[in-house]
Amino acid sequence: MIQGIFYARFLLQQGPKIVAQSPPDCIVTPTSVSSSNNQALSPTAPTTTGATTTAPAPAPAPKPPLIDFDVLREYIIPRKAFCNRFITVQDPEGRYAVLGFPVLITHAKYPRNEFIFNFGLVLDADAEQASYERVVRRLAVTFAEMEKQDEYLSQQETEDWSRRGYGLGGCYRGGAGAGGGGAGAGAGAGSSTCAGEEKAIVGGVKKVGGERRPIESLLEIVREDLNNYGECMIPVDDANTINMKLFPHHPPPPLVKGWHVPVAKTKLASLVDPTWDLTLQKVIAHIDGVSDVRRIAFQADVSLDLATLALRHLLRYDVILLLDLFFFGSCYAPRAHGIHDFVADADGMQDECAAYVSCGPVKVPRFRLVRLMTSFCVGKSVMEWIRGHQEDGFDVLRFVDVRRLVQFGVIKGCLYRVHKYVVSKQYLAALATGQARPAGGDPLQKYTDGCHSFDQIITEQNLSDAEIMERLKHLPLPNGDLTVFYR
């Protein structure tokens, strides 16, 4: 959410200054009302009616600015080396982040041959900033082009323009809906009255007979529309319109490996359109929550690279999730937070689990599900887990779909997979010296660096867990060189 939006300029006499802001006082406290105007608008002496003396009502205390402009001014209007690029800076207290795109326009018509300005946003420090970066860039590009075309931001001399800015002079400027920076807003957007002079003002810029919106009003509309609707379309004048929209930022989807198992989160068949990519349609037809990516690619008759690319596309739109291969020889362990929620039956998790994993018309009792879920541990395979419950008198395979129970636990965060790895001391030493060679020409040795799980070996070498262990025993390595570990 946008907490504040501002327009800043570099002025010859005053340096970096905030010219317009929304909401008022979000960056600096306006002091554009001169002492003479204050005397005219509010009497300084109490009025006396008969014997009654009426004192003027105290003015409400202004809200403190969101950030300290004096501290961040060198980042809002930075040095030339940092102009024309996106800049993000946090306030010293770490509460807010300022997003800006300082623009430097060089031309002989400007004092010192340059014109520097910045349109920036103030967000919460922990807010997602990627979506708002486009907004800042669009504001900078749009107003830079308008300045180059018809001098939209610099039509008045610097001194006169500074005199009518925030905290820089004695003229009062009113703006419809934007606060204007002075007490007693004048009638009509963009009107200004100073020493009997009435002229149209465009964001603090004098333009006789102008029809443009003041920049204060533009900033107010941009902030409210983006916060409320996520988009805005604002006509500035007859020739220019500001069109912006906030798009959600999705992080890059995780890499898809051949041993992953895609599980659909919705009915993909109802979403498929005949105009979709042919590879994507063929891959979706074989997603069943059991088959791994390599098998899906084989069944769909597409290359593994294209299959993984199609699945990453589905991951980006959050319609599938990836799980590990399920084997009865695999190990699972409970997660502290997830298993606590399951035991406490948060959000009716136990009933949901019973409906998903029960075999037959009778649902598994809640206490039994809790006992089953909490009995997973490191070092105990699923088969050993089943035998343990059978010895206790409960036939797990008769009443529970074990694969679905494990899948439910992993998806809900109650369980996590404990992977199995193998490491060879001799192979690691050879890798460190750059002299690693396959032992006896066996391709299995490249997996003994401790970085490749058994799931990857099973998928890529088309071997079972028992066959892998048997092959490892016959590698020409010293006794005790191989170590199998779980993590």
Side-chain angles (χ1 to χ4, degrees):
M1 182 176 180
I2 300 176
Q3 301 296 335
I5 183 171
F6 62 87
Y7 165 55
R9 259 214 59 191
F10 180 82
L11 304 180
L12 295 181
Q13 302 297 329
Q14 292 81 16
K17 288 294 180 180
I18 298 297
V19 179
Q21 56 186 338
S22 177
D25 306 353
C26 68
I27 309 298
V28 294
T29 302
T31 57
S32 58
V33 181
S34 64
S35 57
S36 60
N37 287 343
N38 288 335
Q39 294 176 359
L41 292 174
S42 57
T44 56
T47 58
T48 303
T49 303
T52 304
T53 301
T54 304
K63 294 179 62 177
L66 300 178
I67 62 175
D68 190 343
F69 176 71
D70 292 334
V71 174
L72 302 180
R73 62 192 302 167
E74 62 178 317
Y75 302 102
I76 294 177
I77 301 293
R79 299 179 181 180
K80 297 179 182 180
F82 296 97
C83 289
N84 299 321
R85 63 183 63 192
F86 180 71
I87 294 179
T88 303
V89 61
Q90 282 194 6
D91 68 323
E93 298 179 359
R95 295 183 304 167
Y96 299 102
V98 179
L99 282 61
F101 195 97
V103 177
L104 169 63
I105 302 176
T106 57
H107 197 280
K109 64 184 177 182
Y110 299 119
R112 298 185 182 178
N113 298 328
E114 60 186 22
F115 182 83
I116 303 176
F117 69 93
N118 187 10
F119 283 88
L121 303 179
V122 180
L123 309 176
D124 291 325
D126 56 351
E128 188 271 320
Q129 301 177 4
S131 301
Y132 295 96
E133 178 181 348
R134 301 177 182 177
V135 173
V136 174
R137 291 179 180 273
R138 173 58 61 183
L139 286 173
V141 171
T142 300
F143 282 99
E145 289 299 322
M146 294 171 62
E147 170 64 23
K148 294 176 182 178
Q149 291 175 6
D150 54 5
E151 301 179 357
Y152 178 73
L153 299 174
S154 60
Q155 291 184 4
Q156 188 180 359
E157 296 178 356
T158 303
E159 293 181 359
D160 189 36
W161 185 72
S162 303
R163 186 169 52 87
R164 288 169 169 81
Y166 282 95
L168 300 176
C171 288
Y172 163 68
R173 182 172 72 249
S191 62
S192 177
T193 304
C194 180
E197 179 185 14
E198 270 193 318
K199 291 181 177 65
I201 301 297
V202 181
V205 180
K206 181 169 67 174
K207 183 176 177 66
V208 179
E211 298 295 338
R212 293 170 172 172
R213 292 178 183 267
I215 292 183
E216 294 92 336
S217 177
L218 289 176
L219 296 184
E220 178 74 12
I221 297 174
V222 168
R223 184 179 67 89
E224 291 186 354
D225 285 3
L226 291 181
N227 284 341
N228 296 330
Y229 311 110
E231 60 181 350
C232 66
M233 185 179 67
I234 309 170
V236 180
D237 52 23
D238 295 338
N240 297 284
T241 302
I242 298 177
N243 292 285
M244 292 184 295
K245 184 173 182 179
L246 289 176
F247 291 94
H249 175 70
H250 299 284
L255 295 177
V256 180
K257 301 297 184 179
W259 55 91
H260 287 154
V261 178
V263 179
K265 300 174 65 174
T266 184
K267 292 183 179 180
L268 295 177
S270 61
L271 301 177
V272 176
D273 189 271
T275 60
W276 283 16
D277 179 73
L278 296 178
T279 301
L280 186 60
Q281 296 185 47
K282 295 170 71 174
V283 168
I284 286 176
H286 295 88
I287 297 178
D288 55 6
V290 178
S291 302
D292 56 85
V293 175
R294 186 175 291 269
R295 177 176 296 183
I296 290 175
F298 175 78
Q299 293 174 345
D301 193 22
V302 299
S303 67
L304 180 61
D305 293 339
L306 291 179
T308 56
L309 185 62
L311 291 173
R312 288 196 72 191
H313 188 75
L314 296 176
L315 279 173
R316 179 176 180 83
Y317 289 97
D318 198 28
V319 295
I320 66 170
L321 52 87
L322 297 179
L323 300 180
D324 297 304
L325 285 167
F326 175 79
F327 298 107
F328 283 98
S330 302
C331 294
Y332 293 87
R335 293 184 183 273
H337 181 73
I339 204 69
H340 179 271
D341 290 343
F342 185 82
V343 173
D345 194 22
D347 300 326
M349 194 181 298
Q350 294 179 10
D351 290 336
E352 183 182 358
C353 179
Y356 184 69
V357 307
S358 298
C359 296
V362 180
K363 292 184 179 181
V364 182
R366 291 186 178 184
F367 78 92
R368 180 64 66 180
L369 286 175
V370 172
R371 186 172 182 181
L372 291 174
M373 192 69 73
T374 55
S375 58
F376 287 98
C377 64
V378 179
K380 181 189 294 185
S381 66
V382 177
M383 183 58 68
E384 294 171 342
W385 173 83
I386 293 174
R387 289 174 182 172
H389 286 284
Q390 288 177 339
E391 292 174 358
D392 292 340
F394 180 71
D395 190 356
V396 179
L397 297 177
R398 181 180 177 185
F399 299 100
V400 177
D401 187 328
V402 178
R403 182 188 62 80
R404 286 195 163 205
L405 177 65
V406 171
Q407 190 180 77
F408 181 89
V410 173
I411 293 175
K412 294 296 184 178
C414 303
L415 302 175
Y416 69 92
R417 172 73 182 280
V418 183
H419 288 279
K420 187 177 181 181
Y421 298 85
V422 59
V423 62
S424 168
K425 300 176 184 177
Q426 180 176 324
Y427 184 65
L428 288 180
L431 286 177
T433 59
Q435 299 175 357
R437 295 290 185 274
D442 195 326
L444 202 62
Q445 187 185 18
K446 67 180 182 180
Y447 298 103
T448 60
D449 58 354
C451 299
H452 304 278
S453 66
F454 269 48
D455 285 1
Q456 181 178 356
I457 303 174
I458 290 171
T459 304
E460 295 182 354
Q461 298 297 323
N462 197 24
L463 299 172
S464 65
D465 188 283
E467 291 174 339
I468 294 174
M469 295 300 295
E470 189 66 25
R471 290 270 296 273
L472 290 174
K473 293 178 182 179
H474 292 86
L475 288 178
L477 298 172
N479 292 333
D481 181 73
L482 290 176
T483 302
V484 177
F485 64 95
Y486 295 87
R487 64 171 183 172

